Amino acid sequence: MRCADCRDAVNAFVDGELLAEEQRDVREHLATCADCRREHEVLVATSRTLKEGLVRHRAPDVLKARIRSALAQPDAFAPAASPPRRSWMRLVAAGIVIAAASSGLTVAAIHNPFTQQNATSDVLASHIRSLMPGHLVDIASTDQHNVKPWFNGRLDFSPTVPRLEEQGFPLVGGRVDYIGGRPVAAVVYSRRQHLINVFSWPSTDHAEGLTASTANGYNLLHWRAGGTERWVVSDLNAAELRGLITLLQRSDSAGRPLGS
Ligand SMILES: [Zn+2]
C-alpha cells in the first residue's frame, strides 16, 4: 500500500468501515510508515475528542446548526485549489474545529453560563439571520400597542417597546429569538435604510454600563440595568445608535414605554 492510498483509507479505517482485508493492508502500512502512523494517531485522538465532546457534553443545537452551515459552505475549510483526491486532512481539520468549538463552548458553559464572548457572537448571528428574507419580524407593526402584547405568552417577561418614531426610529416589529440557550425578545427599529435589533432578556447579573464593539461591520452595544440584559445591533453608525440607547434607557427608567 502506498502512503496516498493509506491516507485515503485511514479515515474509514478509524471509523471501522473497511473490509477485513483492507484493514489488514492499512495496519501493515501503519506498522512500517512513521508518517502515516502519526497521521493515524492524530485522527484517532481527534475522533476520541469529538466523541467525548459531542456525547458527554451535548453541544447546543444552535452551535451544531452553525457548524453544519459553516461546513456546508464550500470555502469554509477548503484551500483555494482542492487536491483531486479526497482530502481526509480537511475532514480532520473540520473535526478539530468542531471538537475545539464544542469542548470550548461546553467548558465555558459549565464555568460561566453565558460568557460575554458567546453573547456577542450569538447576538451578531441573530442579527445577521434576521436580515435574511422573511426572518426580520414575527409581528410586523409600527404600533407598540400591537407589538408589546404580542410577546405575552411567548416569553416569560414583557419587553419594553417604546414608540420612537418622532425621534427618528420608527418601529418595524418584533420577534422571539434564541440567544444563550433561552428565548429572548427582539424589537426591531429602523433608521433611514438601516435596521436595528434591540435584544432583551431578564438577567440576575450585576448592572453593567454601556460597552460598544464592532464585528463584521456591525456595531454591537451592550448594557445591563434593572435586571435586564440589552443588546443593540445594527450597521447604523455608533453615534446614532447611542442616541437610540439614550431614548431606550430613558423609557426604561420611566418604568413604562413612552406614550403608553
Ligand atoms: Zn505511509
Side-chain angles (χ1 to χ4, degrees), residues 57 101-113 115:
H57 315 296
S102 57
S103 63
L105 274 191
T106 305
V107 169
I110 289 166
H111 296 300
N112 185 343
T115 65

Side-chain angles (χ1 to χ4, degrees), residues 1-4 6-7 29-30 32-37 39:
M1 178 176 259
R2 294 175 305 130
C3 288
C6 180
R7 282 170 205 181
H29 182 84
L30 291 178
T32 59
C33 175
D35 283 349
C36 288
R37 200 158 55 233
E39 285 171 0

